[in-house]
Amino acid sequence: CPVCRLIVGEPSWTELIRAFYIEHRCHSPLFRDIPREFVHWLLEHPQQTTHLPPFIAHLAHYEWLELAADVHPAQVLGVCEVADVLGSSLQANPTLQLGIYPWPVQLISTQFQPDTPDATPTCLAVYRDHNDTVHFTQLNPLSAHLLSLLQAQPLSGRAALAQLASDAGMALEHVLPFGENLLAQWAREELIRS
C-alpha cells in the first residue's frame, strides 16, 4: 500500500502494521496473501483507523486490487478481435478485479485527500493485459454490473445486455446501442474476450 503509507506517515503506518500482526491470525501460510488479509482486517476493524483519514481502508483495498491483478496466476492472451460482440460468447479477463468505493480512490494522493465520500460510488475494474501491464478503468454502476455478469460466467453479448436491462428495469433496445459499443471497446482493451 505505497500511497496509504505515504499519506499515513511512517510512525502511524508501523503502528497499524504492528496492531495487525498482534490482533490478526492469518489464514494462509503464503506471504503474498498477507496484503489481502491486512486489507480485510482494516475493513473489518474500523476502530483501528479512526485516527487516520476516513478513506484509508478503501484506498488500501484499491491498492491491493492492483497487486492481486498483477500477481494473478492466469495467463492473459493478446487482444482478441471480436467481430460480433452481441453474438459471441464473452468472458471477463481472468485477472479482473472489481472494486466499488465511496471514495475516488484512484485519485487519492498526498496532494488530494477528500474529506467526504462522493455522492456516486467509484466503480473500478483493475486487470492485467498480455504485456503484464496492470490497468484500471473507471466504470459507472451500470457498466460495473455488466462486467460483473461477464466475470460470473461466459455469456453472449446480447444475453449479458438482456440481463443487464432486466436487472436495471430498462428496455433492451435502450441498452443495446451503448452496450454493443462498450463491449467492443472492452474487447480492444483486453478487459473481456471471446
Side-chain angles (χ1 to χ4, degrees):
C1 301
V3 177
C4 287
R5 189 176 188 162
L6 286 173
I7 289 171
V8 170
E10 199 60 39
S12 294
W13 186 256
T14 301
E15 181 182 313
L16 191 61
I17 296 297
R18 186 173 290 128
F20 166 70
Y21 284 131
I22 290 169
E23 296 177 15
H24 182 74
R25 184 174 176 92
C26 288
H27 301 286
S28 170
L30 300 177
F31 183 75
R32 71 170 185 252
D33 291 341
I34 293 173
R36 180 190 67 219
E37 296 213 22
F38 174 66
V39 166
H40 289 255
W41 178 80
L42 282 177
L43 292 167
E44 293 168 2
H45 296 87
Q47 71 276 10
Q48 294 293 340
T49 62
T50 55
H51 63 291
L52 301 175
F55 54 76
I56 208 71
H58 296 281
L59 177 59
H61 186 269
Y62 170 64
E63 290 191 288
W64 171 75
L65 286 187
E66 291 178 349
L67 175 65
D70 190 35
V71 301
H72 195 286
Q75 180 182 6
V76 179
L77 305 174
V79 175
C80 178
E81 293 297 324
V82 182
D84 177 18
V85 293
L86 294 180
S88 298
S89 178
L90 304 173
Q91 60 188 3
N93 179 317
T95 68
L96 174 66
Q97 309 290 321
L98 285 172
I100 300 175
Y101 306 99
W103 304 91
V105 292
Q106 79 285 11
L107 302 175
I108 294 174
S109 67
T110 54
Q111 290 80 34
F112 175 68
Q113 297 179 34
D115 295 323
T116 57
D118 283 349
T120 305
T122 296
C123 304
L124 299 170
V126 183
Y127 64 101
R128 190 180 74 239
D129 69 15
H130 75 280
N131 291 318
D132 290 331
T133 302
V134 175
H135 302 273
F136 82 87
T137 299
Q138 187 165 352
L139 308 167
N140 62 41
L142 206 57
S143 59
H145 184 61
L146 175 60
L147 194 52
S148 73
L149 293 172
L150 294 172
Q151 188 178 35
Q153 66 180 345
L155 294 168
S156 72
R158 183 175 300 281
L161 292 171
Q163 183 64 51
L164 176 69
S166 174
D167 292 349
M170 300 171 69
L172 179 58
E173 58 268 12
H174 292 119
V175 174
L176 277 175
F178 92 87
E180 184 175 12
N181 291 335
L182 185 60
L183 292 171
Q185 176 187 333
W186 286 351
R188 288 189 303 274
E189 294 174 352
E190 300 182 41
L191 196 46
I192 62 171
R193 64 176 300 107
S194 64

